[in-house]
Amino acid sequence: LMMLSVGTGAWRVRNSMNEVARTLGISCTADIGLLSIEYTCYEENGTYTHSISLPTTGVNTDKLTELEQFMREFPEKAAHFSVKQIHLVLDEIQKKPANYKAWNLGLAAAIACCAFTFLLGGGPMEMICAFFGAGMGNFVRKLMLQKKISLLGIFGVSEVHQAGYICAMLFVIPGFPLITGGIDLAKLDIRSGLERITYALLIILTATMTGWVTALVCRFQPADFPALEIDTGMTIILRIITSFFGVYGFSLMFNSPRKMAITAGLIGMFSNTLRLELIDLANFPVGVAAFIGAFFTGCVASVVKKKIGYPRISLTVPAIVIMVPGLFMYRGIYYIGLNNIEDGALWLTKAILIVMALPM
């Protein structure tokens, strides 16, 4: 249940349960969803069935790292520790406080969305406005989550700048459940995969509809950014820099320790720049470029995992989240809301192709 609560996929939860079952010499079947686990354990003296659930879902890569370390050491611990001692170890992990306060997370979102704005084609003015809009939005969002307010009560939208305001709400896009949902489907954990993807789509729909209503009220339009007069070499350098800060900011929002966030940023700055240059210089389709970028991320994260020991998902997801096409999703909803089905379908199709490519 603790592993489920920190945002990891059902396949990893099931793998951990199998490790415990083998060590304890029992058999266990489990039905794992987004918020609940129903399981039955079999042993010589009979069976034990239990259902446990979480009040809400979330992401905490710091606790995920601790839990994966615990699982690696569990066979040895089980041979020497009592049941009470095992529970005490888990209690220490459970009680571990968050690494960052609300203002820290607001600043992380500000940095990430500011960097993201440049990667989408925005200039200094749009970047500054997105910085303040996203920072305020995520700060308020964190305070609302601490009060246990429903996810449908989240509005992280900046109304400051006509061309760049949508970039200020991209921190809301739920990359973690999107990626882990795709992985669960690939592992045939159908229930968990569908629940995670549905949860992610619900947040995306809420965010894009909020952005659309804001656009109608303030008469904004999702216009293209003015072209920046920067040569190719400088563009690549700036994309590397802003990709690092974008991934670093998203990683902090997942409660990653700073060293882990820096590692994810170093991976993401090359993989995301590779994706963008494949589109601009080699004219790759956006879905293919996203697949190559995400595949590169996974390969590098696998090597880093062997060298450093960080959970692979804690490195890959922040680096891949920056590739999720929040702007495409918003434009699709915006045009469909105006009954411009042709343009809306075009942008949504591009978004769907990228979203499918990333977990693949």
Side-chain angles (χ1 to χ4, degrees), residues 5 33 140 172 177 221 273 330 339:
S5 72
V140 174
V172 180
Q221 294 181 355
T273 303
Y330 163 71
N339 290 325

Side-chain angles (χ1 to χ4, degrees), residues 140-160:
V140 174
R141 172 177 174 267
K142 179 62 177 177
L143 294 179
M144 294 172 74
L145 289 175
Q146 289 175 352
K147 300 293 185 180
K148 308 299 182 184
I149 296 176
S150 165
L151 65 91
L152 293 181
I154 295 170
F155 298 96
V157 183
S158 169
E159 304 173 358
V160 180

Side-chain angles (χ1 to χ4, degrees), residues 178-222:
L178 268 180
I179 304 303
T180 55
I183 293 173
D184 280 346
L185 290 177
K187 298 285 186 178
L188 297 183
D189 269 308
I190 305 298
R191 175 193 167 187
S192 177
L194 291 177
E195 287 185 11
R196 288 172 185 274
I197 290 176
T198 302
Y199 169 76
L201 292 178
L202 180 61
I203 298 178
I204 290 170
L205 181 62
T206 304
T208 52
M209 289 297 291
T210 303
W212 174 62
V213 171
T214 304
L216 292 181
V217 171
C218 300
R219 297 183 180 181
F220 290 164
Q221 294 181 355

Side-chain angles (χ1 to χ4, degrees), residues 7 44 57 63 77 112 183 185 213 225 260 275 293 305 326 350:
E44 293 181 359
T57 186
K63 284 188 179 180
K77 279 186 168 66
I183 293 173
L185 290 177
V213 171
F225 290 108
M260 184 187 295
R275 175 184 69 93
K305 174 181 169 62
K350 288 182 177 180

